[in-house]
Amino acid sequence: METTPLSQAFMDLEKKSGANNYAPLPVVLSKGLGARVWDVDGNEYLDFLSAYSAVNQGHCHPKIIGALQAQSQKLTLTSRAFYNDQLGPFESWLCGLFDYERMIPMNSGTEAVETALKLSRRWGYDVKRIPENQAKIIVVEGNFHGRSFGIISASTDPDSRGGFGPYLPGYITIPYNDLPALENALKDPHVAAFLVEPIQGEAGVVVPDPGYLMKAYELCKKVNVLFVADEVQTGLGRTGKMFACEHEGVKPDLLILGKALSGGVLPVSAVLSSNEVMLTLKPGQHGSTFGGNPLACAVARAAVQVLIDENLVERASKLGEIFRSELKAMNSPIIELVRGKGLLNAIVVRPHGKSSTGQPRSAYDVCHDLLHLGVLAKQTHVTAIRFAPPLVISEEELDRGLKAIRKVMTV
């Protein structure tokens, strides 16, 4: 599928008038339905990225779009200066569904993580009685929680962090999947929380050892430290459980959600926690003009209901097993490693052959080849390719995608 004058015109407009903060693959999308998308020239593709797992329910799911249309004709935004008839019912329903006492709605995943960081510090001061301005948060190497100042200060990624200092203090960074390092860091009495992704998505779908999450949770509980799970990408069915922490029976003290909370229709995120944590916030201390708007609440409730009604959690578990099994069965010399859970998977690609620049072919080159075979995926870093199709993908569509991957991996 070659770049046409029409698609090139759209790409040129972005390059001329937009910031250079992304490096998209050369395809211009204009329509989506389920697991498929179409470009401006009418070419069809299988979406194996799902907008970084925001579109778990598939593109333009009719029930979610229906909720959007119905609510948009009644009331879209009131701000939190007033009550509205969607927020309270949504909060009560979601807390009951996921067994939490309270939630705070925001917009982006980054905002939700920032909210969890603020809640953790506030709890540390008000409940744990950490001395003023001494609260610390433990984070792990390779994390990706967003790109705000509070978050990049906790990052080890040079692309996210480099050139934006000075950074905010108050973080202790340890290796991921390293329980002795966590146990040692927890000796600091000023630690308020441990923030972790159950599976590191942006790092290349890095899955920790079995038992890591449960043992980490237990270590936190021993010293009265909050266990904070960033499930923005791993949550809401993606890994074959409603939340990735459920694979080890862990219920986080703070649960961070985003992306698929709206089925990719508009920005919705949330932090769920207990009365003890959430009630440390008082009026005026945190919020957002658009957070908890009635349109977002109606859409998010419909999006979560779709996951339940269509058994998408179970579907992710079943199809994920098939997908990883087929990838491993390829026995390709290009594939160094296959890893993942549910429909959040990745392959690590060995450098091979020669690219157009004369350098060894990388994960980016593989994604380019897949694009020309009608499959959209995106590399993360130099060697890993993340595969995360919508959970509604059919077995026939999954097989089509596997055939394209197999063709690219054959040398």
Side-chain angles (χ1 to χ4, degrees):
M1 299 170 182
E2 300 299 323
T3 301
T4 66
L6 178 60
S7 59
Q8 189 64 54
F10 282 106
M11 290 187 280
D12 288 345
L13 280 172
E14 283 197 27
K15 292 174 183 177
K16 177 183 177 182
S17 302
N20 190 29
N21 59 328
Y22 279 90
L25 287 170
V27 59
V28 181
L29 303 177
S30 64
K31 177 184 174 183
L33 185 64
R36 295 174 292 163
V37 290
W38 289 263
D39 66 18
V40 291
D41 297 300
N43 298 308
E44 179 185 309
Y45 304 83
L46 288 172
D47 181 359
F48 269 53
L49 184 63
S50 299
Y52 302 104
S53 296
V55 194
N56 286 0
Q57 299 89 337
H59 291 276
C60 298
H61 193 290
K63 290 184 179 178
I64 304 174
I65 297 300
L68 174 78
Q69 292 171 332
Q71 185 61 40
S72 68
Q73 296 176 32
K74 295 193 296 182
L75 186 66
T76 59
L77 179 65
T78 61
S79 83
R80 294 298 301 280
F82 314 103
Y83 290 94
N84 69 69
D85 65 355
Q86 295 297 313
L87 177 56
F90 173 58
E91 290 172 324
S92 177
W93 179 76
L94 200 69
C95 287
L97 185 64
F98 296 150
D99 191 28
Y100 282 90
E101 291 177 322
R102 292 180 184 269
M103 64 160 280
I104 181 169
M106 298 300 287
N107 305 295
S108 67
T110 295
E111 288 176 278
V113 173
E114 287 280 355
T115 300
L117 291 172
K118 290 178 70 175
L119 280 166
S120 296
R121 283 187 174 184
R122 193 59 187 259
W123 173 88
Y125 296 130
D126 291 1
V127 178
K128 191 174 178 178
R129 299 300 179 186
I130 296 172
E132 186 177 359
N133 295 327
Q134 297 299 308
K136 298 175 184 176
I137 310 290
I138 299 173
V139 296
V140 298
E141 295 172 354
N143 72 71
F144 184 84
H145 302 292
R147 295 186 179 92
S148 64
F149 268 112
I151 292 169
I152 65 168
S153 298
S155 175
T156 60
D157 176 16
D159 287 336
S160 297
R161 179 182 173 92
F164 296 109
Y167 306 109
L168 300 181
Y171 295 106
I172 300 172
T173 303
I174 63 172
Y176 186 58
N177 194 30
D178 188 331
L179 290 169
L182 175 61
E183 188 169 20
N184 185 60
L186 287 169
K187 292 177 182 178
D188 188 327
H190 295 164
V191 171
F194 173 48
L195 170 64
V196 68
E197 298 162 271
I199 297 173
Q200 290 190 320
E202 199 67 24
V205 190
V206 180
V207 182
D209 293 335
Y212 170 72
L213 295 176
M214 176 55 78
K215 184 61 177 176
Y217 175 83
E218 291 171 348
L219 289 172
C220 289
K221 292 303 98 184
K222 284 182 180 179
V223 291
N224 195 27
V225 164
L226 299 173
F227 184 92
V228 184
D230 179 352
E231 294 248 20
V232 171
Q233 186 171 163
T234 57
L236 300 170
R238 173 53 59 185
T239 69
K241 296 285 187 181
M242 184 61 80
F243 307 115
C245 285
E246 291 181 356
H247 286 285
E248 295 191 8
V250 171
K251 181 186 176 185
D253 297 301
L254 285 86
L255 175 66
I256 307 171
L257 300 179
K259 294 191 185 295
L261 190 57
S262 76
V265 171
L266 47 77
V268 185
S269 63
V271 178
L272 292 91
S273 191
S274 63
N275 287 329
E276 181 182 274
V277 173
M278 201 70 74
L279 293 180
T280 59
L281 284 181
K282 301 299 186 289
Q285 294 177 345
H286 188 64
S288 163
T289 298
F290 279 83
N293 70 79
L295 184 62
C297 293
V299 166
R301 184 163 184 173
V304 175
Q305 193 65 54
V306 165
L307 293 172
I308 298 167
D309 292 345
E310 299 187 12
N311 298 311
L312 296 184
V313 178
E314 295 81 3
R315 184 173 187 78
S317 179
K318 174 188 173 184
L319 294 185
E321 292 289 342
I322 294 171
F323 189 67
R324 283 187 300 281
S325 176
E326 290 293 326
L327 287 177
K328 292 174 182 177
M330 291 179 188
N331 292 317
S332 169
I334 300 174
I335 300 177
E336 180 177 330
L337 187 65
V338 175
R339 58 194 180 206
K341 281 185 182 293
L343 281 175
L344 179 62
N345 297 285
I347 58 173
V348 177
V349 177
R350 292 187 178 94
H352 59 284
K354 289 290 182 67
S355 68
S356 58
T357 63
Q359 298 298 313
R361 286 166 48 78
S362 65
Y364 176 81
D365 296 305
V366 172
C367 290
H368 239 279
D369 290 344
L370 286 171
L371 167 65
H372 290 293
L373 293 175
V375 174
L376 301 183
K378 195 70 164 63
Q379 84 282 357
T380 174
H381 301 289
V382 178
T383 60
I385 303 173
R386 176 172 34 194
F387 294 112
L391 310 187
V392 297
I393 192 170
S394 69
E395 290 192 44
E396 184 272 333
E397 290 169 328
L398 192 70
D399 186 57
R400 278 171 50 199
L402 281 163
K403 286 178 179 176
I405 296 169
R406 189 176 295 110
K407 185 173 183 179
V408 172
M409 294 300 163
T410 301
V411 295

